[in-house]
Amino acid sequence: YINPFYGYRAGWRGRSPQNIVREITALLEEQGDSTFYFADPNFFGPGLSGQQRAMELARLIKKQAPGIVFGFETRVNDIQ
């Protein structure tokens, strides 16, 4: 994780799943993009709430933007 390496002390500030899905659907409508890839070592966010946030994002994508394919990079210790 890059922030501690450089001494940056701000807390994690993730976007809500609803906010991310709004952007995905806007890009889908504007540009026809249907594949999204998240490269973020802190994709999940902190602890159990971060895992629940990621699951909610997947649920919303499936419901509101069917046909979307997405992948992500994250820290291996966040995946359980």
Side-chain angles (χ1 to χ4, degrees), residues 10-30:
W12 184 82
R13 297 178 301 158
R15 293 169 57 190
S16 72
Q18 296 80 4
N19 179 272
I20 296 168
V21 170
R22 277 194 301 271
E23 183 175 356
I24 287 173
T25 55
L27 289 169
L28 181 61
E29 291 171 6
E30 293 171 12

PDB file of all heavy atoms in Angstrom, residues 10-30:
ATOM      1  N   ALA A  10      -3.829  10.131   5.508  1.00  0.00           N
ATOM      2  CA  ALA A  10      -5.284  10.220   5.335  1.00  0.00           C
ATOM      3  C   ALA A  10      -5.894   8.820   5.361  1.00  0.00           C
ATOM      4  O   ALA A  10      -5.284   7.853   4.930  1.00  0.00           O
ATOM      5  CB  ALA A  10      -5.628  10.904   4.026  1.00  0.00           C
ATOM      6  N   GLY A  11      -7.101   8.740   5.867  1.00  0.00           N
ATOM      7  CA  GLY A  11      -7.810   7.467   5.902  1.00  0.00           C
ATOM      8  C   GLY A  11      -8.335   7.067   4.531  1.00  0.00           C
ATOM      9  O   GLY A  11      -8.323   7.845   3.585  1.00  0.00           O
ATOM     10  N   TRP A  12      -8.774   5.841   4.453  1.00  0.00           N
ATOM     11  CA  TRP A  12      -9.312   5.319   3.196  1.00  0.00           C
ATOM     12  C   TRP A  12     -10.633   6.002   2.892  1.00  0.00           C
ATOM     13  O   TRP A  12     -11.486   6.155   3.766  1.00  0.00           O
ATOM     14  CB  TRP A  12      -9.510   3.804   3.344  1.00  0.00           C
ATOM     15  CG  TRP A  12      -9.963   3.136   2.095  1.00  0.00           C
ATOM     16  CD1 TRP A  12      -9.182   2.737   1.063  1.00  0.00           C
ATOM     17  CD2 TRP A  12     -11.299   2.782   1.759  1.00  0.00           C
ATOM     18  NE1 TRP A  12      -9.957   2.150   0.100  1.00  0.00           N
ATOM     19  CE2 TRP A  12     -11.274   2.166   0.500  1.00  0.00           C
ATOM     20  CE3 TRP A  12     -12.528   2.924   2.395  1.00  0.00           C
ATOM     21  CZ2 TRP A  12     -12.393   1.693  -0.132  1.00  0.00           C
ATOM     22  CZ3 TRP A  12     -13.653   2.452   1.763  1.00  0.00           C
ATOM     23  CH2 TRP A  12     -13.581   1.836   0.514  1.00  0.00           C
ATOM     24  N   ARG A  13     -10.808   6.448   1.659  1.00  0.00           N
ATOM     25  CA  ARG A  13     -12.042   7.118   1.247  1.00  0.00           C
ATOM     26  C   ARG A  13     -12.559   6.436  -0.016  1.00  0.00           C
ATOM     27  O   ARG A  13     -12.172   6.797  -1.115  1.00  0.00           O
ATOM     28  CB  ARG A  13     -11.793   8.602   0.963  1.00  0.00           C
ATOM     29  CG  ARG A  13     -11.346   9.373   2.183  1.00  0.00           C
ATOM     30  CD  ARG A  13     -11.078  10.813   1.846  1.00  0.00           C
ATOM     31  NE  ARG A  13     -10.039  10.869   0.815  1.00  0.00           N
ATOM     32  CZ  ARG A  13      -9.848  11.891   0.001  1.00  0.00           C
ATOM     33  NH1 ARG A  13     -10.606  12.954   0.067  1.00  0.00           N
ATOM     34  NH2 ARG A  13      -8.892  11.874  -0.887  1.00  0.00           N
ATOM     35  N   GLY A  14     -13.400   5.467   0.162  1.00  0.00           N
ATOM     36  CA  GLY A  14     -13.947   4.750  -0.977  1.00  0.00           C
ATOM     37  C   GLY A  14     -15.221   5.389  -1.491  1.00  0.00           C
ATOM     38  O   GLY A  14     -15.920   6.089  -0.766  1.00  0.00           O
ATOM     39  N   ARG A  15     -15.508   5.154  -2.747  1.00  0.00           N
ATOM     40  CA  ARG A  15     -16.767   5.597  -3.337  1.00  0.00           C
ATOM     41  C   ARG A  15     -17.834   4.556  -3.045  1.00  0.00           C
ATOM     42  O   ARG A  15     -17.549   3.367  -2.933  1.00  0.00           O
ATOM     43  CB  ARG A  15     -16.587   5.773  -4.840  1.00  0.00           C
ATOM     44  CG  ARG A  15     -15.645   6.913  -5.169  1.00  0.00           C
ATOM     45  CD  ARG A  15     -15.262   6.921  -6.622  1.00  0.00           C
ATOM     46  NE  ARG A  15     -16.432   6.998  -7.477  1.00  0.00           N
ATOM     47  CZ  ARG A  15     -16.391   6.822  -8.795  1.00  0.00           C
ATOM     48  NH1 ARG A  15     -15.255   6.536  -9.390  1.00  0.00           N
ATOM     49  NH2 ARG A  15     -17.482   6.916  -9.500  1.00  0.00           N
ATOM     50  N   SER A  16     -19.058   4.999  -2.969  1.00  0.00           N
ATOM     51  CA  SER A  16     -20.142   4.051  -2.707  1.00  0.00           C
ATOM     52  C   SER A  16     -20.371   3.179  -3.943  1.00  0.00           C
ATOM     53  O   SER A  16     -20.110   3.604  -5.078  1.00  0.00           O
ATOM     54  CB  SER A  16     -21.432   4.793  -2.357  1.00  0.00           C
ATOM     55  OG  SER A  16     -21.968   5.410  -3.511  1.00  0.00           O
ATOM     56  N   PRO A  17     -20.850   1.952  -3.744  1.00  0.00           N
ATOM     57  CA  PRO A  17     -21.178   1.110  -4.896  1.00  0.00           C
ATOM     58  C   PRO A  17     -22.173   1.787  -5.834  1.00  0.00           C
ATOM     59  O   PRO A  17     -22.046   1.679  -7.060  1.00  0.00           O
ATOM     60  CB  PRO A  17     -21.783  -0.145  -4.251  1.00  0.00           C
ATOM     61  CG  PRO A  17     -21.168  -0.206  -2.896  1.00  0.00           C
ATOM     62  CD  PRO A  17     -21.034   1.237  -2.475  1.00  0.00           C
ATOM     63  N   GLN A  18     -23.145   2.520  -5.279  1.00  0.00           N
ATOM     64  CA  GLN A  18     -24.134   3.206  -6.112  1.00  0.00           C
ATOM     65  C   GLN A  18     -23.465   4.253  -7.006  1.00  0.00           C
ATOM     66  O   GLN A  18     -23.799   4.380  -8.188  1.00  0.00           O
ATOM     67  CB  GLN A  18     -25.205   3.870  -5.235  1.00  0.00           C
ATOM     68  CG  GLN A  18     -26.041   2.898  -4.440  1.00  0.00           C
ATOM     69  CD  GLN A  18     -25.368   2.388  -3.158  1.00  0.00           C
ATOM     70  OE1 GLN A  18     -24.275   2.799  -2.786  1.00  0.00           O
ATOM     71  NE2 GLN A  18     -26.029   1.455  -2.497  1.00  0.00           N
ATOM     72  N   ASN A  19     -22.510   4.981  -6.459  1.00  0.00           N
ATOM     73  CA  ASN A  19     -21.794   5.997  -7.216  1.00  0.00           C
ATOM     74  C   ASN A  19     -20.989   5.369  -8.353  1.00  0.00           C
ATOM     75  O   ASN A  19     -20.980   5.880  -9.480  1.00  0.00           O
ATOM     76  CB  ASN A  19     -20.890   6.791  -6.266  1.00  0.00           C
ATOM     77  CG  ASN A  19     -20.098   7.858  -6.964  1.00  0.00           C
ATOM     78  OD1 ASN A  19     -18.999   7.587  -7.449  1.00  0.00           O
ATOM     79  ND2 ASN A  19     -20.643   9.060  -6.997  1.00  0.00           N
ATOM     80  N   ILE A  20     -20.339   4.264  -8.074  1.00  0.00           N
ATOM     81  CA  ILE A  20     -19.543   3.578  -9.094  1.00  0.00           C
ATOM     82  C   ILE A  20     -20.439   3.044 -10.206  1.00  0.00           C
ATOM     83  O   ILE A  20     -20.133   3.182 -11.396  1.00  0.00           O
ATOM     84  CB  ILE A  20     -18.716   2.446  -8.459  1.00  0.00           C
ATOM     85  CG1 ILE A  20     -17.693   3.038  -7.473  1.00  0.00           C
ATOM     86  CG2 ILE A  20     -18.007   1.616  -9.528  1.00  0.00           C
ATOM     87  CD1 ILE A  20     -17.027   2.003  -6.587  1.00  0.00           C
ATOM     88  N   VAL A  21     -21.573   2.460  -9.847  1.00  0.00           N
ATOM     89  CA  VAL A  21     -22.483   1.915 -10.854  1.00  0.00           C
ATOM     90  C   VAL A  21     -23.080   3.036 -11.709  1.00  0.00           C
ATOM     91  O   VAL A  21     -23.251   2.873 -12.914  1.00  0.00           O
ATOM     92  CB  VAL A  21     -23.579   1.041 -10.205  1.00  0.00           C
ATOM     93  CG1 VAL A  21     -24.660   0.672 -11.195  1.00  0.00           C
ATOM     94  CG2 VAL A  21     -22.948  -0.215  -9.628  1.00  0.00           C
ATOM     95  N   ARG A  22     -23.348   4.179 -11.120  1.00  0.00           N
ATOM     96  CA  ARG A  22     -23.828   5.329 -11.915  1.00  0.00           C
ATOM     97  C   ARG A  22     -22.795   5.714 -12.971  1.00  0.00           C
ATOM     98  O   ARG A  22     -23.131   5.976 -14.122  1.00  0.00           O
ATOM     99  CB  ARG A  22     -24.144   6.520 -11.016  1.00  0.00           C
ATOM    100  CG  ARG A  22     -25.514   6.478 -10.389  1.00  0.00           C
ATOM    101  CD  ARG A  22     -25.928   7.821  -9.795  1.00  0.00           C
ATOM    102  NE  ARG A  22     -25.011   8.305  -8.777  1.00  0.00           N
ATOM    103  CZ  ARG A  22     -25.083   8.026  -7.479  1.00  0.00           C
ATOM    104  NH1 ARG A  22     -26.048   7.242  -7.026  1.00  0.00           N
ATOM    105  NH2 ARG A  22     -24.210   8.514  -6.627  1.00  0.00           N
ATOM    106  N   GLU A  23     -21.539   5.735 -12.583  1.00  0.00           N
ATOM    107  CA  GLU A  23     -20.497   6.070 -13.554  1.00  0.00           C
ATOM    108  C   GLU A  23     -20.374   4.994 -14.623  1.00  0.00           C
ATOM    109  O   GLU A  23     -20.229   5.298 -15.810  1.00  0.00           O
ATOM    110  CB  GLU A  23     -19.151   6.270 -12.858  1.00  0.00           C
ATOM    111  CG  GLU A  23     -18.074   6.690 -13.832  1.00  0.00           C
ATOM    112  CD  GLU A  23     -16.750   7.023 -13.175  1.00  0.00           C
ATOM    113  OE1 GLU A  23     -16.653   7.011 -11.929  1.00  0.00           O
ATOM    114  OE2 GLU A  23     -15.806   7.301 -13.925  1.00  0.00           O
ATOM    115  N   ILE A  24     -20.450   3.738 -14.238  1.00  0.00           N
ATOM    116  CA  ILE A  24     -20.375   2.644 -15.208  1.00  0.00           C
ATOM    117  C   ILE A  24     -21.520   2.733 -16.211  1.00  0.00           C
ATOM    118  O   ILE A  24     -21.304   2.611 -17.421  1.00  0.00           O
ATOM    119  CB  ILE A  24     -20.372   1.279 -14.484  1.00  0.00           C
ATOM    120  CG1 ILE A  24     -19.021   1.052 -13.809  1.00  0.00           C
ATOM    121  CG2 ILE A  24     -20.699   0.139 -15.444  1.00  0.00           C
ATOM    122  CD1 ILE A  24     -18.962  -0.181 -12.930  1.00  0.00           C
ATOM    123  N   THR A  25     -22.733   2.932 -15.729  1.00  0.00           N
ATOM    124  CA  THR A  25     -23.875   3.005 -16.651  1.00  0.00           C
ATOM    125  C   THR A  25     -23.773   4.244 -17.543  1.00  0.00           C
ATOM    126  O   THR A  25     -24.155   4.178 -18.721  1.00  0.00           O
ATOM    127  CB  THR A  25     -25.219   2.974 -15.904  1.00  0.00           C
ATOM    128  OG1 THR A  25     -25.258   4.001 -14.923  1.00  0.00           O
ATOM    129  CG2 THR A  25     -25.447   1.627 -15.234  1.00  0.00           C
ATOM    130  N   ALA A  26     -23.254   5.349 -17.027  1.00  0.00           N
ATOM    131  CA  ALA A  26     -23.062   6.542 -17.864  1.00  0.00           C
ATOM    132  C   ALA A  26     -22.043   6.261 -18.966  1.00  0.00           C
ATOM    133  O   ALA A  26     -22.262   6.636 -20.134  1.00  0.00           O
ATOM    134  CB  ALA A  26     -22.619   7.728 -17.016  1.00  0.00           C
ATOM    135  N   LEU A  27     -20.942   5.615 -18.632  1.00  0.00           N
ATOM    136  CA  LEU A  27     -19.941   5.269 -19.642  1.00  0.00           C
ATOM    137  C   LEU A  27     -20.499   4.283 -20.659  1.00  0.00           C
ATOM    138  O   LEU A  27     -20.195   4.369 -21.853  1.00  0.00           O
ATOM    139  CB  LEU A  27     -18.689   4.692 -18.978  1.00  0.00           C
ATOM    140  CG  LEU A  27     -17.840   5.701 -18.214  1.00  0.00           C
ATOM    141  CD1 LEU A  27     -16.788   4.992 -17.369  1.00  0.00           C
ATOM    142  CD2 LEU A  27     -17.196   6.695 -19.167  1.00  0.00           C
ATOM    143  N   LEU A  28     -21.316   3.367 -20.193  1.00  0.00           N
ATOM    144  CA  LEU A  28     -21.940   2.411 -21.098  1.00  0.00           C
ATOM    145  C   LEU A  28     -22.835   3.128 -22.100  1.00  0.00           C
ATOM    146  O   LEU A  28     -22.786   2.863 -23.301  1.00  0.00           O
ATOM    147  CB  LEU A  28     -22.742   1.381 -20.296  1.00  0.00           C
ATOM    148  CG  LEU A  28     -23.452   0.294 -21.086  1.00  0.00           C
ATOM    149  CD1 LEU A  28     -22.450  -0.538 -21.870  1.00  0.00           C
ATOM    150  CD2 LEU A  28     -24.260  -0.585 -20.158  1.00  0.00           C
ATOM    151  N   GLU A  29     -23.632   4.074 -21.613  1.00  0.00           N
ATOM    152  CA  GLU A  29     -24.530   4.830 -22.494  1.00  0.00           C
ATOM    153  C   GLU A  29     -23.759   5.759 -23.440  1.00  0.00           C
ATOM    154  O   GLU A  29     -24.096   5.869 -24.613  1.00  0.00           O
ATOM    155  CB  GLU A  29     -25.512   5.645 -21.664  1.00  0.00           C
ATOM    156  CG  GLU A  29     -26.527   4.803 -20.915  1.00  0.00           C
ATOM    157  CD  GLU A  29     -27.348   5.613 -19.922  1.00  0.00           C
ATOM    158  OE1 GLU A  29     -27.209   6.852 -19.883  1.00  0.00           O
ATOM    159  OE2 GLU A  29     -28.125   4.993 -19.166  1.00  0.00           O
ATOM    160  N   GLU A  30     -22.740   6.426 -22.928  1.00  0.00           N
ATOM    161  CA  GLU A  30     -21.999   7.405 -23.729  1.00  0.00           C
ATOM    162  C   GLU A  30     -21.033   6.775 -24.716  1.00  0.00           C
ATOM    163  O   GLU A  30     -20.906   7.232 -25.845  1.00  0.00           O
ATOM    164  CB  GLU A  30     -21.206   8.341 -22.807  1.00  0.00           C
ATOM    165  CG  GLU A  30     -22.061   9.241 -21.955  1.00  0.00           C
ATOM    166  CD  GLU A  30     -21.236   9.985 -20.910  1.00  0.00           C
ATOM    167  OE1 GLU A  30     -19.981   9.970 -20.988  1.00  0.00           O
ATOM    168  OE2 GLU A  30     -21.848  10.567 -19.996  1.00  0.00           O
TER     169      GLU A  30
END
